[in-house]
Amino acid sequence: MPKDTGIGASTRRREDVRFLKGKGQYTDDIPPAHDQAAAVFARSTVANGVIKSIDTSVAESMPGVLAVFTGADFADVGGNPAGWLINSRDGEPMKEPKRPVLAHGKVRHVGDAYAAVIAETEKQARDAVEAIEADIEELPAIMDVKAALTSDNFVHDEIGTNQCFDWGWIEDNRRATDDAIKGAAHVTTLELVNNRLVPNAMEPRCSMASYKESSDEYTLHTTSQNPHLTRLLISAFVMGIPENKLTVIAPDVGGGFGSKIYHYGEEALVLAAAKRVGRTVKWTSDRTEAFLTDAHGRDHVTTIELATDAEGNFLAFRTETYANVGAYLSNFATATPTFLHGTLMAGNYTVPNVYVNVKAVFTNTAPVDAYRGAGRPEATYSLERVIDKCARELGMDPIALRRKNFIKPDQYPFASAAGLEYDSGNYDALMDKMEEVADVAGFAERRKASEAKGLLRGFGVNAYVEACGIAPSNLVGVLGSRVGLYDAATVRVNATGNLSVMVGAHSHGQGHETVFPQIVADMLGIDAQSIDIVHGDTSKIPFGMGTYGSRSLAVCGSAVVRATEKIIAKAKKIAGHMLEAAETDIELKDGQFSVVGTNKGVSFGEVALKAYIPHNFPIEDIEPGLEETAFYDPANFTFPSGAYCCEVEVDPDTGKVRVDRMTAVDDFGNVMNPMIVTGQVHGGLGQGIGQALLEAARYNEDGQLESASYMDYAMPRADDLPFYIVDHSQGTPCTHNPLGAKGCGEAGAIGSPPTVVNAVIDALQSGGKNVTHIDMPLTPHRVWSAMNNA
Amino acid sequence: MTKVEMTVNGKQVSRDVEGQTLLVSMLREDLRLTGTHVGCDTSQCGACVVHVNGKSVKACTMFAIEADGADIKTIEGMAGSDGSLSVIQSAFQEHHGLQCGFCTPGMVMTAANLLKDNPKPTEAEVRHHLQGNICRCTGYHNIVKAIMAASGQDVSAIAAE
Amino acid sequence: MYAFDIERPTTVAEAVNALKTDEAQPLGGGQTLIPTLKARLAAPSKLVSLSAIAEMIGISREGSTIRIGGATTHGQVATELAESYPALGYLASKIGDPAVRNRGTIGGSVANNDPAACYPAACLASGATITTNTRDIAADDFFLGMFETALEEDEIVTAVTFPVPQKADYQKFEQPASRFPLVGVFVAKHDDGVRVAVTGASESGVFRWTEAEEALSADFSAGALDGLSVDADGMITDLHGDGAYRAHLIKVLTGRAVTASR
């Protein structure tokens, strides 16, 4: 019986009401301050250039203009830091060129901001930006990752190279992996591109700052997935504003997918501007700016080899990847292709040897960083495509080949050859369930029906495992992270018995305002409606690292549990006093504290009131009040896994691919709200199918982004996608967090791209076309060309 | 400056606007009806859809002056006067048809227009009608389901949860 | 956007007069012009809205032709032509999206002559007549090249008149991002022969595939196209497909249009 309330219930979302009524408050919706002013940026139209001079004199004198900033204004201010130090194979630390608030000396990608105008109105600021005369000497653009490594045209002259790092994982395993490949009966090789994507959250970025001179305090409203992290970065690294003088508030945020994790120069600029002009200063991105300057995702060029014995047992995976980091290092840019990618290169398999090499390369493109999946889609794509190719070469069924090499349920915890310890899983059960709910057995009939209509039909399947719920601070610290990855919650019981739960996570669509109360209500046995979530405001919440990497439930949710456990412990003490019993004799059930084995009890509400009106209260033993905070640092990543399959129809005359069926069977451990979890998978599938068939951020050789609007960047629409078949009944609980929950936010985007490509290859092969690979996106043109060149 | 008069969510309003003032700017900035959102600059994303004389229109691709004398309805006018959610709004909540909420006003307005002209649309008709509304969060599954449910059709068999 | 005034005349004569101002531009549905203005790619002093000119709105059947007022929306065409000229109604129903169709007009589309617009193909294949405030222009003489038409300055499209063919069909293969035709083919069989108009494909804009017209006039079946091909030279190559692909699609879509014609 599905539950109505509490953990495991598909409780409808309370935040929906304001969104459906148009009463959400996104940053651009905030009513203008009485002193509101606008910021507009001057952005480079060339990809690589030396700034010879910037003449702002005309701009400064134009109507309504309050100030004009250039890179020179920030020369003494810190750069936007890289959050994770990666060492190259030779032991050298990675290159960390400065990422200034405004470009100074050079512009390094189309869209790189080199000046900003603050004016009374946005139109006046825009008019003044047009009057800025910048003399920029254009240089050849550095665009190709391989050519960049041998070029002496540098994105950052001061480091004398375009290579950020050359990383190996695990370096000690390289020899054994090479040997395993050399001696193997069969080696499958695949060269593939993981296509660059633009996240395109529907809400464009927006930042608004104000400065209060009387107290020397700043307030920044900004579209962020993690206000505390943003505050820390601005304070400690960039502007030097003390944390206790800077409040960062992320109100309702319209999607992020990673792109709103990072600190961006626009945030620092509006803060500096607010102080200089003494006004509230707001900048709102338009969609073109979003295309040019929001951190892009993916952009790997990879060669992967899979060595097997004659029976198809996996002996080794070896990969070499060129990872484009763009013109500047975004905050997590160095972690995404390394510790969120290479560590997954053993996949769901018992393979004994894995070696991953990643060369991170600077180019004159927008910075690249984590985007839904962040490194794990790249790993899964490489693995599951080469396994598919191997199955064809060996004449083995793609499901059978995978099952043969799966980690078995009795092998957990499992130390993978790529350095992670998976806590739990059952990949065969997932595959069994997938075969059932996807009606794999019926594929042959459906293929006949498609062929009767003149269409080719293909079946694609793969598994995945990923590491999320990031992350154990000690572990990531050892691996180079410069931040911890815990989270925090404060549970505040009010005197009248309702609760405020302040959380460090920040929902931008994930439903925290509904799910966290479900958990607390379940633990306390009270009505979830009496629990309110507070998030997004650094002046109100404990320090949390925010929402990304499918961590809000596993990490922040665990903090909520721990804080609630502390509440229960104290409440039992108070109840024990009220009931004149030892606290060890007090049990909590359905919101009632009672003495075990008796009818004597007090309600949660009575305990709350007592805590705040502590008459006849043992203050020597218990403090008044009922408010507890917990910081939760996870012991490990969580390891969701899945078995995905899809069926596509391909029109051989046009190359057009249509996804007819898409099935996702995932292990998310214990599920808190099935409806929300399913919604997360749906969204990930939409983005994964988008990557596989539609989306590509394309720069030309001069560094111009040719796909800089929805006219050329194909966003998935409703008629590009089918209804999905989703199942998460085969959960194996996470063994190390109190919820037993594994992260679910990114799974759909991780598991689905190889599923779709595998299916298209299968369709083409069924039509007699010997096509073994096509790079994403599989546009009609690419598919048709591959068919006609086969 | 030109004076424009129109009815917005049943109320008469009168404003002075410039020639280039877009309807969406007038709604968001002058009338403080911020439920209508701006998501793109090529008139494709649909976050700004409102009803002008009963027909869905992208408020970012129409000038306020062109709406002079018109009857405008925005997302803020969709709920009942007692605050209760409309049938479409309720269906979106029931079927988890929104996540971040940014595309949602446009989706609801477009859906309302669809169901007025086509009371029992098929899945294909719903998907086709949403060509001008982009969502990044939901993968559209629950949006389509919600719209079909709002039309009174049984969605239990159509798509697994 | 830069600043400008907007006037809303209610007659053609008023509109023509308003356009005499320096740097004045006509505004149809605005679905193409407004994004252009937002990007600051144009700086008119004044826009003259045509959407309030009653004499330019409406559809009428006149014998074997259909006359569509220049300010008539795609949505209205889609609804009203479903029976009388289904292929044209279908074409209109596939332009943009529902909200775009409630504003975009045939006059605006035809006057702009985007090389990937749908209406120019319908006009050419139907042998339509474009009526302006000063004259009538045959479709064959109207579309001169990419974004180029025979319109003089201060000339506005007041109506487009379509001869209704015996049978016709429009096949649109969408560019996945813009949803404009990557290639669009309009086939129309008239008493005096077949016309095949292609949009989205050529660097010179909409054109007639005369070789196919000859073959189909003799034998109106997809098989009549066997052995014919379109030269990839002069076909558009962009992010979404090269010239060879577009040339290939022209043939595929023409065959499908012939088979589906009604």
Side-chain angles (χ1 to χ4, degrees), chain A residues 381 385 388 458-462 644-648 650 657-659 661-662 685-686 688-694 721 748 751-763 774 776 778:
Chain A
Y381 184 69
R385 282 291 303 127
D388 216 62
F459 175 81
V461 64
N462 63 274
Y644 283 24
C645 68
C646 88
E647 296 178 25
V648 299
V650 180
V657 176
R658 192 181 68 84
V659 176
R661 296 160 81 96
M662 179 80 220
L685 294 175
I689 294 170
Q691 171 167 23
L693 296 180
L694 294 167
L721 298 165
S752 60
T755 321
V756 177
V757 179
N758 288 347
V760 174
I761 299 298
D762 186 58
I774 307 173
M776 301 188 289
L778 272 61

Side-chain angles (χ1 to χ4, degrees), chain B residues 45-64:
Chain B
C45 80
C48 66
V49 172
V50 297
H51 294 167
V52 177
N53 296 330
K55 290 194 179 301
S56 51
V57 165
K58 291 177 177 175
C60 78
T61 315
M62 185 174 182
F63 295 108

Side-chain angles (χ1 to χ4, degrees), chain C residues 35-209:
Chain C
T36 304
L37 294 169
K38 282 183 192 174
R40 292 193 162 198
L41 294 174
S45 61
K46 175 201 322 189
L47 293 183
V48 179
S49 167
L50 306 178
S51 63
I53 301 175
E55 66 190 281
M56 276 176 58
I57 301 171
I59 301 171
S60 56
R61 184 90 195 222
E62 289 160 15
S64 62
T65 66
I66 294 177
R67 185 178 193 279
I68 304 176
T72 308
T73 65
H74 309 320
Q76 190 175 350
V77 173
T79 308
E80 294 187 22
L81 292 197
E83 306 267 314
S84 50
Y85 191 167
L88 184 54
Y90 170 76
L91 176 152
S93 79
K94 293 275 284 173
I95 295 175
D97 58 62
V100 166
R101 292 193 283 277
N102 284 332
R103 296 290 300 163
T105 67
I106 184 168
S109 168
V110 151
N112 189 39
N113 195 19
D114 187 307
C118 295
Y119 269 126
C123 291
L124 264 193
S126 306
T129 303
I130 289 96
T131 302
T132 77
N133 48 302
T134 56
R135 55 184 170 138
D136 288 335
I137 312 171
D140 284 337
D141 302 324
F142 184 84
F143 302 103
L144 302 182
M146 203 189 268
F147 294 109
E148 224 196 300
T149 70
L151 289 174
E152 306 277 352
E153 217 159 306
D154 303 343
E155 213 179 347
I156 57 179
V157 175
T158 56
V160 185
T161 301
F162 291 86
V164 180
Q166 288 175 12
K167 43 163 86 172
D169 186 70
Y170 180 58
Q171 291 284 320
K172 178 182 179 183
F173 189 79
E174 288 182 345
Q175 191 263 67
S178 68
R179 301 309 188 86
F180 276 56
L182 188 78
V183 174
V185 177
F186 201 111
V187 169
K189 182 176 194 297
H190 303 272
D191 292 336
D192 59 356
V194 177
R195 284 177 166 237
V196 177
V198 179
T199 186
S202 166
E203 286 165 355
S204 310
V206 65
F207 71 96
R208 287 169 61 185
W209 186 15

Side-chain angles (χ1 to χ4, degrees), chain A residues 497-510:
Chain A
N498 49 51
L499 280 72
S500 303
V501 180
M502 283 71 80
V503 294
H506 191 62
S507 182
H508 41 280
Q510 293 88 341

